[in-house]
Amino acid sequence: MDPIKLLTVATDLRLTNRPECCRVAIGRFYYGAHHVVVQVFGELGWNVSRKSYGHVEARVLLTLSGDTALLDAGKSLGDLYDWRVEADYRLDNPWAEVPGNADIALATANDVVGAAYSMRVEPMKSKIIAVLAQMAVARGMIAMAGRKVRWE
């Protein structure tokens, strides 16, 4: 599925102005942005974990380039995650039912998507691929260190 479709559906929900729809839209804005980030990293050769820590991994990977826009996108993706948790699990808090707050989540998701798409073009693409290559080496070293050594 194209993750942009999640953002489109979320926008449609938001436009109803119904509190429950704003709440659901905030969660979909997060997931749409997250899945775009995961998709772009996949295109660049890095498979973000599909386990729960993949949510943190996606944010961390955005920050590793040192690029200001990607650093901001990593922080914004974290904000979207926190807002999703608030919307999904804090039903006693009306914050997520306010259309203006859903609008902020939409704008934030669009910013994250734009930053993710910037990784598809040069010179950012080469910079990110180099960072991911370093991460792959580190990942391999960590995996090797975690294995038990058997002495014959």
Side-chain angles (χ1 to χ4, degrees):
M1 177 179 176
D2 180 358
I4 294 298
K5 289 183 179 179
L6 286 175
L7 296 171
T8 301
V9 168
T11 301
D12 291 345
L13 285 168
R14 160 47 200 106
L15 293 175
T16 68
N17 283 326
R18 292 173 40 205
E20 64 276 12
C21 291
C22 290
R23 192 175 280 282
V24 171
I26 289 171
R28 298 308 94 187
F29 291 141
Y30 165 71
Y31 279 113
H34 170 77
H35 285 296
V36 167
V37 170
V38 168
Q39 179 183 54
V40 173
F41 277 121
E43 293 167 4
L44 299 176
W46 185 273
N47 293 319
V48 174
S49 175
R50 299 295 181 181
K51 297 186 186 253
S52 62
Y53 56 83
H55 294 274
V56 174
E57 182 182 10
R59 295 192 307 260
V60 169
L61 288 170
L62 285 169
T63 66
L64 291 177
S65 72
D67 178 78
T68 303
L70 294 179
L71 285 166
D72 290 345
K75 180 190 176 306
S76 292
L77 192 59
D79 290 342
L80 283 166
Y81 177 86
D82 291 342
W83 299 340
R84 181 201 67 84
V85 168
E86 196 68 28
D88 288 347
Y89 299 112
R90 310 293 183 260
L91 299 181
D92 59 335
N93 185 347
W95 175 89
E97 298 172 358
V98 176
N101 292 335
D103 292 340
I104 292 168
L106 170 59
T108 302
N110 285 332
D111 290 346
V112 171
V113 168
Y117 285 161
S118 78
M119 295 189 298
R120 290 176 164 170
V121 293
E122 296 296 348
M124 186 59 71
K125 181 177 179 180
S126 293
K127 186 175 185 180
I128 296 300
I129 289 172
V131 168
L132 295 176
Q134 292 174 342
M135 289 298 299
V137 169
R139 183 186 261 180
M141 293 171 69
I142 291 167
M144 287 176 55
R147 294 186 187 141
K148 290 185 178 180
V149 176
R150 184 173 168 214
W151 300 99
E152 301 284 337

